[in-house]
Amino acid sequence: MMLRALLVAAALAVAAPRMLSDPLPLQDLYVANLKAATAVNGFPCKALSTVADDDFFSNTMVTAPRTDTNPFSVNSTHATVSVFPGLNTLGLSITRIDLAPGGLNPPHSHPRGSELVLVLKGEVMVGFTSADNRLYSKVVKKNELYVVPHGLQHFQLSVGKGDAVFMAMFDAQSPGFVMPTLGLFASKPAMPMEVLTKTFLMG
């Protein structure tokens, strides 16, 4: 009986890493067909005969975007599967974030991915809160990394004298974006006022 229990435990230990990650693709190429009429969890693939070199290329990060078009002084340039079809089924994507001095990427979360931040320019305070409401934060400088665990609420704030630029890399082709302030105050239909007043202890 003891031997059987040990064998089962060993089998589970070996299988655990596989159970905790996305399954591997079943073929080399599975380029997203962004025009497909059929909706699936992700994107169906293009016919192999129509796959081109450009499906695996993106120049979306080349031009420095403006940061003066919103009150947060931030701009995000995404390279997710919806604009970069070659990412389909590969479980990764990347976003470029530009921040003016004092600019803020407001608290948000990615329900489908962990985030690895690589600062390319400036100094960025990166912070996240855990499920027990503990804040972890660090000022991250050029060529330094900071990781935000899967699904946790986090922010990035430019704290240097000049502009800041960082890359956010994800272990998901479409990590999603949830911003609490938008969810509470810009939902359609609107959030019931009674819910908001009680949530913010205003009633």
Side-chain angles (χ1 to χ4, degrees):
M1 191 68 171
M2 180 62 79
L3 179 60
R4 180 180 297 176
L6 289 172
L7 289 173
V8 169
L12 288 174
V14 170
R18 294 180 187 156
M19 292 188 292
L20 297 175
S21 64
D22 291 335
L24 293 173
L26 298 178
Q27 55 202 48
D28 290 341
L29 310 177
Y30 202 87
V31 176
N33 180 356
L34 302 180
K35 298 179 181 178
T38 304
V40 296
N41 186 11
F43 291 94
C45 66
K46 294 170 66 171
L48 194 56
S49 61
T50 66
V51 173
D53 296 330
D54 280 347
D55 288 321
F56 305 98
F57 170 81
S58 173
N59 63 359
T60 58
M61 306 293 171
V62 173
T63 304
R66 293 175 57 180
T67 57
D68 60 354
T69 59
N70 61 74
F72 301 111
S73 300
V74 62
N75 192 294
S76 298
T77 307
H78 305 281
T80 60
V81 68
S82 59
V83 295
F84 193 175
L87 294 177
N88 201 34
T89 76
L90 299 184
L92 53 91
S93 58
I94 190 167
T95 296
R96 170 182 169 157
I97 289 82
D98 289 73
L99 294 161
L104 171 68
N105 196 14
H108 62 280
S109 63
H110 305 289
R112 296 185 294 274
S114 300
E115 176 176 341
L116 181 63
V117 172
L118 170 63
V119 174
L120 302 179
K121 179 181 179 182
E123 297 181 13
V124 181
M125 177 187 289
V126 184
F128 67 86
T129 51
S130 62
D132 60 356
N133 297 319
R134 163 78 190 274
L135 172 66
Y136 297 86
S137 68
K138 179 85 174 176
V139 173
V140 186
K141 299 177 182 179
K142 183 177 179 180
N143 295 329
E144 294 180 338
L145 298 167
Y146 197 85
V147 67
V148 177
H150 188 119
L152 296 184
Q153 186 168 260
H154 59 285
F155 66 88
Q156 291 96 9
L157 174 68
S158 176
V159 294
K161 294 181 179 178
D163 294 339
V165 180
F166 67 89
M167 294 298 215
M169 297 157 277
F170 300 95
D171 61 346
Q173 66 182 27
S174 182
F177 181 88
V178 177
M179 189 170 162
T181 50
L182 293 179
L184 288 171
F185 300 108
S187 65
K188 296 180 182 178
M191 186 74 68
M193 188 56 65
E194 182 181 4
V195 171
L196 293 175
T197 55
K198 287 186 176 182
T199 297
F200 292 98
L201 304 176
M202 296 170 64

